Amino acid sequence: MGKKKNAEKHSNITIYQSFTIILNFNPIANYLADVGKMWGKYLYLHPDRYLTCKPMKVTFIIKKAAKRYDTESTATIYIRLRNGRLLDSVAPTQLSINPNLWDDKAECVKTKAVCNEDLRTGINEEIRKLKTYVEKSFHTEKESVDKEWLKLTLDRYYHPEKYFTPEEIAIKPTFGELFDSFLEKHPLSEVRKKNFRVVKRALLRYELYVRETKRGQKGFVLDVDTVTPETLRDMWDFFENEYQYYELYPSIYEAIPEKRTPQPRGKNTLIDCFSRIRTFFLWCFDNKLTSNRPFDKFPIEECKYGTPVYINLEERDRIFNADLSATPQLEIQRDIFIFQTLIGCRVSDLYRMTKLNVVNEAIEYIPKKTKEGNPVTVRVPLNDKAKEILERYKDHEGKLLPFISEQKYNEAIKKIFKLSGVDRIVTILDPLTRDEVKKPLYEVASSHLARRTFIGNIYKKVKDPNLVSALSGHKEGSKAFRRYRDIDEEMKKDLVKLLD
């Protein structure tokens, strides 16, 4: 038995270390060894004489467990470096975490764990930075890596002053750190910051995607100085097809998760994302953080929208008067939808309202979208229908009306339209193909249709954009508001029909 184990042990040796022995097994091993060096991997010969590749790998682990409801214990997060069979090193980082919050498989804070969001973001971001630093250092110092290398590299990461001059320590911020600085210093409303953070996470996933899929780019790092128009084209392809990568590369989405499963992005959404990325690059340029302007040779076209779809007053009243007593919850959401059509606010503003927003028979609010840019108080007088709805829910405590989640509200609106028989066929632009498609109103109805109904019907009666925007909360010169002028064309068609 001992001799057999010895034989197996000696057959599992690297080509680099025992070139002569391997040549006896395989005459082309020398060539394969050179190829292996080019790949930056190690080739192994197993007892069955098949050659396989084992790359360097950096992972994070904890060595301590905790009882199920223990929220006090902490465990050090260790970094582990494996380099085929040549090396397996473990060293402690300066990070610690409650073991019940740690996801062993994803090597990060559990996505659904209830904890401080800053703690989750901080630990996950630091792990990502550490992994990038160690991987990059390994590829630079591959020839000198030994069992003490990992501890030394961590010490260099945490205490650069011991190894570098003050000038050398001035480490360039990462792409993610620059983006965070941009969000902190650039004047943006909270809503826009939230949208920019979605783009930031997608960009960091792109970085991981390149490392995972592009040969020779295991150490790829997004850098504002090196992004080119070609990089942007590759980013566009990633953003466009990201919904397909979710299942192909699950580790990427475990490292930088989203609350919702990625969905196909339409052309307008892609344009919106890249407009935000361009804003970030221009900010970096204006603040002398880079001299790189990759968007100069990467033009972004304008978003293409159709004429706003909305319901007329007869359809609105049909919904208001529909008998929905068999479905009490839909009846409540119907009242909320009609109320929204009577004040014309965005759903985010509607959901923040309380009874304090009712001032002298009018609704007063500051639109959240423009709150930090040029805050203006919007005042919309309440008509009889709006007052009737508020009277129905006068005993409701807390919010102005009994709201449910925005997603469930939108689902309810579609059901309400169908039950009310509001099924007129309308022409819309498909968000993915940007082609015209015909659909019944109940399939496209949403909370934003309530806002469009308010604006569209008032604009038909009054052709004063300034007066209408004062009630809708649109900024002066808003591109979105300009689209409502196309309604005039519909009116012309209606007038021509009178000649039939």
Side-chain angles (χ1 to χ4, degrees):
M1 259 322 261
K3 288 183 180 179
K4 186 178 179 183
K5 282 186 179 179
N6 252 354
E8 288 182 1
K9 182 180 177 184
H10 287 296
S11 64
N12 291 331
I13 51 179
T14 68
I15 286 176
Y16 305 140
Q17 291 176 322
S18 302
F19 174 72
T20 309
I21 296 173
I22 292 172
L23 276 182
N24 293 330
F25 292 138
N26 194 331
I28 62 166
N30 187 23
Y31 168 73
L32 290 175
D34 288 338
V35 172
K37 287 178 182 177
M38 286 192 297
W39 289 346
K41 298 175 179 179
Y42 295 94
L43 297 173
Y44 289 86
L45 187 63
H46 292 277
D48 57 8
R49 298 188 181 183
Y50 286 99
L51 288 169
T52 60
C53 298
K54 291 195 176 183
M56 176 276 289
K57 191 173 184 181
V58 174
T59 54
F60 291 84
I61 59 172
I62 61 172
K63 299 181 179 181
K64 183 178 176 182
K67 291 183 179 179
R68 186 173 180 181
Y69 297 107
D70 182 354
T71 58
E72 303 298 324
S73 296
T74 58
T76 298
I77 298 176
Y78 288 81
I79 187 168
R80 183 182 184 186
L81 171 67
R82 281 172 287 181
N83 185 19
R85 297 192 183 186
L86 290 178
L87 185 68
D88 190 343
S89 292
V90 177
T93 70
Q94 291 184 3
L95 296 170
S96 62
I97 189 173
N98 179 284
N100 289 320
L101 297 178
W102 181 251
D103 188 326
D104 289 315
K105 186 178 177 183
E107 300 172 32
C108 63
V109 182
K110 288 178 180 175
T111 307
K112 295 183 180 179
V114 178
C115 67
N116 183 292
E117 201 57 40
D118 290 338
L119 179 142
R120 188 198 315 277
T121 304
I123 289 180
N124 290 349
E125 185 71 18
E126 182 65 8
I127 284 173
R128 195 183 70 82
K129 285 165 59 179
L130 262 172
K131 187 170 185 176
T132 299
Y133 181 82
V134 171
E135 286 177 341
K136 196 171 181 180
S137 299
F138 176 88
H139 289 296
T140 304
E141 307 165 25
K142 189 158 47 177
E143 300 303 321
S144 60
V145 172
D146 57 24
K147 64 181 182 179
E148 297 298 323
W149 181 86
L150 184 59
K151 289 181 181 177
L152 184 66
T153 301
L154 279 183
D155 192 56
R156 195 166 58 221
Y157 176 83
Y158 288 120
H159 306 288
E161 70 281 357
K162 290 163 58 175
Y163 302 89
F164 306 103
T165 64
E167 291 76 18
E168 291 173 319
I169 292 174
I171 299 171
K172 181 179 177 179
T174 64
F175 192 91
E177 289 170 340
L178 269 181
F179 212 103
D180 289 338
S181 181
F182 159 72
L183 292 176
E184 181 185 339
K185 297 174 182 177
H186 193 59
L188 295 166
S189 68
E190 281 305 314
V191 173
R192 292 190 70 205
K193 280 184 181 180
K194 184 179 176 181
N195 294 333
F196 269 96
R197 288 189 189 104
V198 171
V199 173
K200 176 200 166 186
R201 290 195 294 272
L203 286 168
L204 296 180
R205 286 196 294 271
Y206 167 74
E207 185 179 71
L208 296 180
Y209 168 78
V210 172
R211 293 181 195 172
E212 182 87 15
T213 62
K214 312 274 185 182
R215 179 170 290 183
Q217 298 203 55
K218 291 287 183 186
F220 174 78
V221 175
L222 266 178
D223 186 333
V224 287
D225 292 328
T226 58
V227 170
T228 65
E230 187 57 41
T231 312
L232 295 176
R233 280 186 278 275
D234 195 46
M235 279 183 191
W236 182 285
D237 181 73
F238 172 79
F239 273 62
E240 189 172 20
N241 297 293
E242 189 179 11
Y243 71 99
Q244 297 178 358
Y245 303 142
Y246 179 75
E247 293 184 357
L248 291 173
Y249 309 104
S251 61
I252 293 175
Y253 296 89
E254 289 167 355
I256 306 172
E258 288 293 343
K259 289 183 179 178
R260 295 179 183 177
T261 302
Q263 299 296 313
R265 292 185 174 104
K267 190 73 174 287
N268 284 351
T269 304
L270 291 168
I271 290 170
D272 193 47
C273 289
F274 277 75
S275 295
R276 290 192 171 99
I277 298 170
R278 179 176 60 189
T279 299
F280 164 67
F281 268 89
L282 289 174
W283 177 84
C284 289
F285 179 83
D286 291 341
N287 287 275
K288 296 181 171 52
L289 298 169
T290 185
S291 59
N292 188 24
R293 293 175 59 98
F295 281 90
D296 286 353
K297 294 183 179 179
F298 186 84
I300 302 175
E301 60 184 274
E302 289 283 328
C303 286
K304 182 181 177 184
Y305 297 103
T307 303
V309 172
Y310 64 97
I311 54 175
N312 57 41
L313 297 181
E314 186 274 325
E315 289 168 324
R316 183 203 64 189
D317 290 342
R318 197 190 314 167
I319 293 171
F320 184 59
N321 296 316
D323 181 8
L324 300 177
S325 55
T327 52
Q329 285 302 316
L330 287 183
E331 201 169 30
I332 293 170
Q333 298 311 309
R334 182 270 310 277
D335 291 346
I336 293 173
F337 175 80
I338 295 298
F339 184 79
Q340 192 183 357
T341 68
L342 298 172
I343 63 172
C345 65
R346 298 176 181 88
V347 69
S348 58
D349 293 318
L350 177 68
Y351 273 40
R352 289 187 300 120
M353 289 181 185
T354 66
K355 288 179 172 57
L356 294 176
N357 288 96
V358 182
V359 181
N360 296 328
E361 297 190 331
I363 283 287
E364 285 190 3
Y365 69 99
I366 298 175
K368 189 178 179 182
K369 191 172 180 180
T370 56
K371 189 175 179 181
E372 295 180 24
N374 183 27
V376 176
T377 299
V378 175
R379 179 179 170 83
V380 184
L382 296 169
N383 65 12
D384 291 340
K385 281 189 177 70
K387 290 176 186 176
E388 181 185 336
I389 291 170
L390 289 182
E391 181 64 23
R392 290 178 189 175
Y393 302 96
K394 64 181 180 181
D395 296 328
H396 179 72
E397 296 181 0
K399 297 292 185 178
L400 182 63
L401 294 166
F403 304 125
I404 55 179
S405 72
E406 289 185 31
Q407 183 180 348
K408 289 182 179 178
Y409 178 42
N410 283 320
E411 290 170 359
I413 291 169
K414 289 176 171 60
K415 293 176 184 176
I416 290 162
F417 270 58
K418 195 167 186 178
L419 289 172
S420 303
V422 179
D423 54 6
R424 171 166 54 93
I425 301 298
V426 293
T427 303
I428 63 167
L429 284 182
D430 185 286
L432 293 178
T433 64
R434 301 216 290 185
D435 294 331
E436 287 189 357
V437 291
K438 307 282 186 183
K439 290 192 175 184
L441 263 172
Y442 60 78
E443 285 189 13
V444 300
S446 68
S447 62
H448 206 68
L449 186 139
R451 177 168 165 79
R452 291 198 296 264
T453 295
F454 174 84
I455 298 166
N457 283 300
I458 288 182
Y459 192 80
K460 267 192 172 184
K461 305 285 186 184
V462 183
K463 293 298 186 296
D464 185 346
N466 293 326
L467 183 59
V468 179
S469 61
L471 291 169
S472 68
H474 277 106
K475 288 194 300 183
E476 187 178 344
S478 166
K479 290 181 181 178
F481 184 75
R482 275 184 241 156
R483 291 164 53 212
Y484 289 91
R485 294 177 186 173
D486 294 338
I487 294 168
D488 287 341
E489 185 63 26
E490 291 181 20
M491 294 174 66
K492 291 173 189 175
K493 290 177 182 176
D494 291 340
L495 289 171
V496 171
K497 285 178 184 176
L498 295 176
L499 300 175
D500 289 343

